[in-house]
């Protein structure tokens, strides 16, 4: 297979360093060209939360399907209440009671009232609901103590959802309340985009399984659980291959999984134990390797068969950053979700200057202090806790030397 880009990435660059780095925007363009929404599938109503609609949903019913009472009270003819007050109580005759769902109804004529509950259908003949608080009832007599105008306290048929209305549009990531609306219009399953299956491989002979106590010269896998949560956030189904040793056969074997996307954490660079890029170049297509950014410069990406493969540096901050710039974008696109970052963005003033080298993009973790942006001093890629101490990050573009104190910058909030 051939790559779309002309980087030196096609050669085995191990231990010789990257001879050139691809610009972030080129790598993003590669992802954008490779990842399109997956095919649609039918999913039952109860499992639709978080799923992405593949088709518009149009209601073929009115909700409510009948004019309904918005208050507990009496269905009456408004004209019968004209002039009523506590000093001029007007008498009506109670001809019946309608309980919700009873299906019962009565024809209301002048001088009559029907007891009615919130949500029940307005009986024919009535044109208003007299709330219980504005009436006194005794046996078959109802005394009106206040006027109601025609239409008062009546919810009209179709006022919530009118038949023919597009209730939700394709691309919508369904919220819990959307399930309520779908159910209310009689939808028991919907056509949604299949969720991408994402295989997570954490490579490194020094790694202990996630959650175990670090011991000796071994460290505990931090990237597995983080990536798994990121994949879920972006609409994918994560599965983990666990810890994979720095062994080409083991890595290739783990990459060849039944997945749409493979995330390889660690071994993405050009060291002696970094095998992933060479494997991809040999058995698939290594499209990008080495990116002009900090952190994450040793990141890479390509294809192995039909799978999109992302090589994420093992340093946890780089791993997070490379995921968010490239892998997350691919997963969201496959899942049919917006390609925008799932972070809120805000404009704030810098407390201190933020320096950056021209020629590479910088991902600077920052804190918000008294409404101003404070760059986090310890910003090495291995300091994962810099991301938990941070409130968000600022992206300094390639052509910028950074920003002076006092400058307004755009902050992405974690
Ligand atoms: P590598 O990208 O494999 O060269 O790893 C770079 C650094 O990140 C090394 O210090 C690794 O020990 C560390 N590292 C690699 N994988 C992980 C991981 N899953 N969790 C935490 N640290 C890691
Ligand atoms: Mg390693």
């Amino acid at each position: 297979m051939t790559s779309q880009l002309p980087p030196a990435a096609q050669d085995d660059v191990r231990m010789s360093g990257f001879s050139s780095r691809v610009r972030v925007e080129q790598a993003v363009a590669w992802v954008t060209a490779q990842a399109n929404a997956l095919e649609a599938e039918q999913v039952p109503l109860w499992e639709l939360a978080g799923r992405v609609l593949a088709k518009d949903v149009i209601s073929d019913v009115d909700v409510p399907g009948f004019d309904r009472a918005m208050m507990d009270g009496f269905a009456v003819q408004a004209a019968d209440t004209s002039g009523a007050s506590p000093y001029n109580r007007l008498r009506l005759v109670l001809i019946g009671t309608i309980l919700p769902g009873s299906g019962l109804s009565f024809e209301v004529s002048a001088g009559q009232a029907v007891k009615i509950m919130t949500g029940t259908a307005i009986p024919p003949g009535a044109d208003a609901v007299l709330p219980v608080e504005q009436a006194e009832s005794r046996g078959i007599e109802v005394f009106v103590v206040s006027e109601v105008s025609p239409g008062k306290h009546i919810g009209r048929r179709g006022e919530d959802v009118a038949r023919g209305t597009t209730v939700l549009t394709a691309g919508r990531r369904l919220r819990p309340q959307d399930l309520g609306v779908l159910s209310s219009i009689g939808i028991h399953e919907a056509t949604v985009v299949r969720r991408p299956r994402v295989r997570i491989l954490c490579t490194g002979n020094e790694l202990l399984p996630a959650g175990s106590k670090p011991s000796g010269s071994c460290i505990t896998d931090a990237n597995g659980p983080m990536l798994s949560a990121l994949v879920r956030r972006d609409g994918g189904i994560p599965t983990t291959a666990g810890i994979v040793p720095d062994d080409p056969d083991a890595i290739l074997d783990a990459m060849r999984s039944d997945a749409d996307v493979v995330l390889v954490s660690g071994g993405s660079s050009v060291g002696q134990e970094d095998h992933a890029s060479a494997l991809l170049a040999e058995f698939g297509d290594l499209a990008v390797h080495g990116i002009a950014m900090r952190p994450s410069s040793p990141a890479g990406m390509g294809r192995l068969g039909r799978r999109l493969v992302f090589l994420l540096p093992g340093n946890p901050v780089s791993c997070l950053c490379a995921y968010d710039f490239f892998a997350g974008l691919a997963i969201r696109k496959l899942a049919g979700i917006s390609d925008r970052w799932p972070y809120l963005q805000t404009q704030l003033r810098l407390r201190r200057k933020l320096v950056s080298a021209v020629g590479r993009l910088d991902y600077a973790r920052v804190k918000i202090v008294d409404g101003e942006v404070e760059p986090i001093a310890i910003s090495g890629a291995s300091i994962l806790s810099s991301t938990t101490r941070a409130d968000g990050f600022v992206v300094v573009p390639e052509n910028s030397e950074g920003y002076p104190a006092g400058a307004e910058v755009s902050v992405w909030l974690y």
Side-chain angles (χ1 to χ4, degrees):
M1 275 196 229
T2 53
S3 161
Q4 298 190 324
L5 298 170
Q10 300 301 331
D11 312 322
D12 187 346
V13 291
R14 278 177 291 177
M15 295 316 271
S16 57
F18 293 101
S19 56
S20 70
R21 288 192 159 86
V22 173
R23 293 175 52 204
V24 170
E25 132 193 340
Q26 284 176 280
V28 165
W30 184 84
V31 174
T32 306
Q34 300 291 314
N36 291 310
L38 294 171
E39 70 281 3
E41 62 183 6
Q42 293 294 111
V43 167
L45 173 66
W46 292 82
E47 282 151 39
L48 284 173
R51 300 302 300 267
V52 179
L53 278 180
K55 286 206 291 191
D56 292 356
V57 175
I58 299 167
S59 178
D60 61 2
V61 296
D62 285 323
V63 178
F66 48 86
D67 291 347
R68 64 183 170 187
M70 302 305 284
M71 302 275 281
D72 292 335
F74 300 91
V76 298
Q77 293 191 352
D80 283 345
T81 68
S82 175
S85 77
Y87 310 103
N88 182 31
R89 306 182 333 152
L90 302 179
R91 179 180 170 278
L92 300 175
V93 175
L94 185 66
I95 60 165
T97 299
I98 305 177
L99 297 175
S102 66
L104 226 70
S105 201
F106 303 90
E107 175 83 36
V108 179
S109 306
Q112 297 182 329
V114 166
K115 197 170 183 192
I116 191 171
M117 315 295 149
T118 303
T120 49
I122 302 294
D127 66 357
V129 174
L130 175 73
V132 270
E133 298 81 5
Q134 296 171 26
E136 286 162 19
S137 96
R138 226 173 290 132
I140 63 150
E141 291 178 318
V142 176
F143 294 94
V144 185
V145 298
S146 162
E147 283 187 1
V148 285
S149 49
K152 196 74 183 166
H153 306 306
I154 293 180
R156 290 298 171 194
R157 173 179 183 144
E159 73 168 3
D160 192 341
V161 179
R163 183 186 173 141
T165 306
T166 301
V167 180
L168 295 163
T169 50
R172 167 84 162 199
R173 194 168 191 189
L174 295 172
R175 305 171 183 165
Q177 58 267 45
D178 295 339
L179 273 55
V181 170
L182 290 173
S183 183
S184 75
I185 62 170
I187 301 263
H188 65 97
E189 60 176 18
T191 312
V192 294
V193 180
R194 178 167 74 74
R195 297 172 71 195
R197 291 187 292 272
V198 182
R199 189 74 170 157
I200 300 170
L201 279 60
C202 289
T203 68
N205 289 339
E206 74 281 27
L207 296 180
L208 297 171
S212 52
K213 281 270 178 280
S215 89
S217 58
C218 288
I219 61 166
T220 304
D221 168 31
N223 296 339
M226 175 180 74
L227 289 171
S228 177
L230 288 164
V231 168
R232 253 182 242 287
R233 178 197 73 183
D234 289 328
I237 304 172
T239 59
T240 175
I243 308 297
V244 180
D246 289 315
D247 166 64
D249 292 337
I251 296 170
L252 185 62
D253 200 45
M255 284 204 284
R256 284 186 167 144
S257 67
D258 166 34
D260 303 292
V261 177
V262 178
L263 305 180
V264 185
S265 145
S268 74
S269 190
V270 291
Q272 192 177 315
E273 286 291 64
D274 295 336
H275 308 291
S277 60
L279 286 169
L280 215 50
E282 186 178 348
F283 298 99
D285 172 25
L286 178 63
V288 173
H289 193 209
I291 303 176
M293 66 193 302
R294 194 180 71 172
S296 309
S297 69
M301 62 199 73
R303 274 191 172 274
L304 182 65
R306 42 174 286 283
R307 312 167 195 88
L308 284 174
V309 181
F310 291 89
L311 309 180
L312 309 173
N315 267 320
V317 178
S318 305
C319 184
L320 170 64
C321 172
Y323 175 88
D324 261 345
F325 269 86
F326 313 112
L329 172 63
I331 293 167
R332 284 195 303 280
K333 289 206 70 200
L334 291 171
I337 297 173
S338 151
D339 50 12
R340 268 181 64 86
W341 264 330
Y343 300 121
L344 288 177
Q345 194 180 15
T346 171
Q347 298 288 123
L348 293 171
R349 212 171 278 284
L350 267 179
R351 263 171 110 84
R352 285 192 290 113
K353 72 172 178 212
L354 181 56
V355 285
S356 168
V358 172
R360 65 153 198 249
L361 176 147
D362 261 290
Y363 170 87
R365 275 81 66 215
V366 299
K367 270 187 87 63
I368 314 270
V369 181
D370 300 332
E372 291 189 326
V373 182
E374 168 100 39
I376 290 192
I378 309 162
S379 56
S382 58
I383 311 298
L384 179 59
S385 60
S386 72
T387 57
T388 46
R389 263 178 290 133
D391 297 307
F393 59 92
V394 170
V395 175
V396 188
E398 269 153 39
N399 57 7
S400 167
E401 292 185 309
Y403 307 109
E408 277 248 317
V409 292
S410 189
V411 186
W412 297 92
L413 300 171
Y414 283 133

